[in-house]
Amino acid sequence: MTVPALKILMVSETLPARQLGGLAKHAVTLANTLIDEGHEVTILGLAGQDDDASRREMGFKGTVIGALALMPGWKEGLLGCFNPFKRLYFARQMAQTIAAHAPGFDVVHYHGNLPILAAFVPDHINFVQTRHDQGIECLVHVRFKEGQVCTSTDAADCAACATPFPNALQRMMSAQAVKTYRQLATQALRKHKTIFVSQAILGNAQRVLPASAFTRAQVVHNFIDEHRVAQAVDSSPTLSSTTSPPGNPQVIIASRLDDAKGVRQFLAEWQRVGHSGARLIVVGDGPLREAFESEYTSSEVTFLRHQPYTTTLQLTAQSQISVVPSQCEEACSTTILEALFLGLPCLALNRGGNPELARYQRWPGQLQLFDTIADLVAALRDRLALHPYAHPPTERTSWTNSDVRAQLPRILHVYEN
């Protein structure tokens, strides 16, 4: 069935930006594909961020309206507790901004960090939000604490994410903030349609919120633009051959550099056990980049910092193995999808949405999942020592179901219903 051309307002406070994370890439990929399919898409994003550098990084084909405000800290770090009113206040503000720009659009699609705003978006607006992380139930969005995946559902336990050793008052304030937030999240999901990018993050939300909150929710996996990925890789003059380059094998990690992403733990274990002459390149930026560079840079480990998306794809295609060492529960990793499509073996941890991505393998065993970083590094070292280049040949022109166009009909169905 042909869907009539729609006018779509794509909303995200992560855009425009000079460095795009997975959430922002998802939103821009979807927006550009909708435009290619004949729909009209406008991005409603942050005020004052729409400069040439951000435009180049985004690669968005449509119009950007800068009207959203960043959510400041409200001194939560200084006070050592989550503020029960902070997120409610900014959700109301953002909902008002959305309502002011919504007239004339057939659908408003939100990709961002404040899921409770849907509770304040008027009923008459055809509003959809996509949840890319665990922000429905977790105020820091990642359910990761003290170097481990957080499994607690008790709101009082969340106080330790505001300050390491909360006193009784801080614990009470944070607990109230989390309870209020979860109540509003329940209202938000009941009021408007929600897409989760993996069954894993939907399942985590279902542990905390009542079943009645999910009657308008469904799972549509994250995706990549496989055509764009193939074009970026094939346009590189260094990738004219389909065979692996001579010399030492290259392993790539493309990741944000913080504790939850597990890069430090991987590098420490990699350094401890040795690396069989392989070259490791780390692409990405984050709050711990300088510390990682200082501690782990060597003749075998190179930090390339943030790179344009096309360059990162080319570096991935030039590598022999991709490693995604995230310690947190990844929702539905774009990096894994890219590696699988490009025909690289991909090693990651067996948590979050990672197991669901096995359906996008080019051959059985392309995605290898491990319980610990130590197990992952041991398997990587064994693989490199035995036969670093052995994996079945693949055709990048053979599109898979991880392509945005494969998922687009389901998203359009959500818009239309």
Side-chain angles (χ1 to χ4, degrees), residues 348-365:
L349 294 187
N350 187 24
R351 57 186 62 169
N354 292 348
E356 298 174 48
L357 302 186
R359 71 187 68 181
Y360 304 116
Q361 294 180 121
R362 294 268 180 160
W363 68 86

Side-chain angles (χ1 to χ4, degrees), residues 95 186 214 221 224 294 334:
T186 299
F214 300 95
H221 272 172
I224 58 175
S294 175
T334 303

Side-chain angles (χ1 to χ4, degrees), residues 293-310:
E293 287 178 342
S294 175
E295 186 170 359
Y296 295 109
T297 297
S298 69
S299 58
E300 292 85 19
V301 180
T302 303
F303 290 85
L304 299 181
R305 304 188 179 185
H306 174 75
Q307 296 293 323
Y309 184 50
T310 297

Side-chain angles (χ1 to χ4, degrees), residues 125-385:
I125 295 176
N126 184 14
F127 183 85
V128 182
Q129 69 167 313
T130 291
R131 298 310 317 147
H132 300 260
D133 55 31
Q134 321 228 30
I136 283 287
E137 76 278 9
C138 172
L139 267 62
V140 296
H141 299 276
V142 292
R143 275 197 167 275
F144 191 77
K145 183 166 59 178
E146 299 174 352
Q148 301 291 333
V149 172
C150 175
T151 59
S152 174
T153 58
D154 186 347
D157 290 342
C158 299
C161 283
T163 189
F165 305 103
N167 59 37
L169 179 59
Q170 290 168 328
R171 189 175 175 86
M172 181 186 69
M173 291 293 290
S174 288
Q176 184 57 51
V178 173
K179 290 176 183 177
T180 300
Y181 182 87
R182 291 176 176 175
Q183 289 168 358
L184 288 170
T186 299
Q187 295 175 28
L189 267 66
R190 287 172 177 164
K191 189 173 185 179
H192 289 290
K193 297 170 285 189
T194 305
I195 296 171
F196 289 84
V197 298
S198 70
Q199 188 64 46
I201 60 166
L202 170 59
N204 277 355
Q206 288 173 329
R207 294 184 309 171
V208 178
L209 273 57
S212 61
F214 300 95
T215 57
R216 308 189 71 184
Q218 62 179 284
V219 173
V220 179
H221 272 172
N222 187 19
F223 42 70
I224 58 175
D225 184 344
E226 294 181 354
H227 295 260
R228 182 185 179 193
V229 172
Q231 184 180 42
V233 169
D234 293 337
S235 67
S236 171
T238 62
L239 297 175
S240 56
S241 173
T242 58
T243 60
S244 298
N248 292 341
Q250 179 170 287
V251 178
I252 185 170
I253 295 176
S255 174
R256 176 174 166 80
L257 301 183
D258 62 20
D259 276 332
K261 293 296 186 178
V263 177
R264 183 200 296 274
Q265 295 87 339
F266 174 87
L267 291 172
E269 183 68 11
W270 183 245
Q271 186 179 74
R272 187 185 71 82
V273 303
H275 34 70
S276 304
R279 180 189 179 208
L280 174 66
I281 59 171
V282 181
V283 182
D285 205 345
L288 298 181
R289 175 180 57 77
E290 292 183 359
F292 289 1
E293 287 178 342
S294 175
E295 186 170 359
Y296 295 109
T297 297
S298 69
S299 58
E300 292 85 19
V301 180
T302 303
F303 290 85
L304 299 181
R305 304 188 179 185
H306 174 75
Q307 296 293 323
Y309 184 50
T310 297
T311 303
T312 302
L313 292 172
Q314 292 170 351
L315 289 166
T316 301
Q318 290 170 343
S319 302
Q320 281 67 62
I321 298 177
S322 173
V323 172
V324 182
S326 293
Q327 296 277 79
C328 64
E329 294 181 313
E330 289 283 354
C332 197
S333 171
T334 303
T335 303
I336 291 179
L337 294 175
E338 291 163 352
L340 296 180
F341 174 67
L342 289 171
L344 274 70
C346 185
L347 281 62
L349 294 187
N350 187 24
R351 57 186 62 169
N354 292 348
E356 298 174 48
L357 302 186
R359 71 187 68 181
Y360 304 116
Q361 294 180 121
R362 294 268 180 160
W363 68 86
Q366 184 186 11
L367 176 62
Q368 300 176 46
L369 302 177
F370 303 90
D371 291 332
T372 68
I373 290 290
D375 291 342
L376 186 158
V377 171
L380 175 60
R381 190 172 186 272
D382 290 345
R383 185 185 188 100
L384 291 169

Side-chain angles (χ1 to χ4, degrees), residues 15-16 41-46 49-50 55 58 60 62-66:
L15 296 169
V41 184
T42 298
I43 287 180
L44 176 63
L46 285 174
Q49 304 296 314
D50 188 18
R55 283 278 179 161
M58 289 169 57
F60 177 52
T63 300
V64 176
I65 300 173

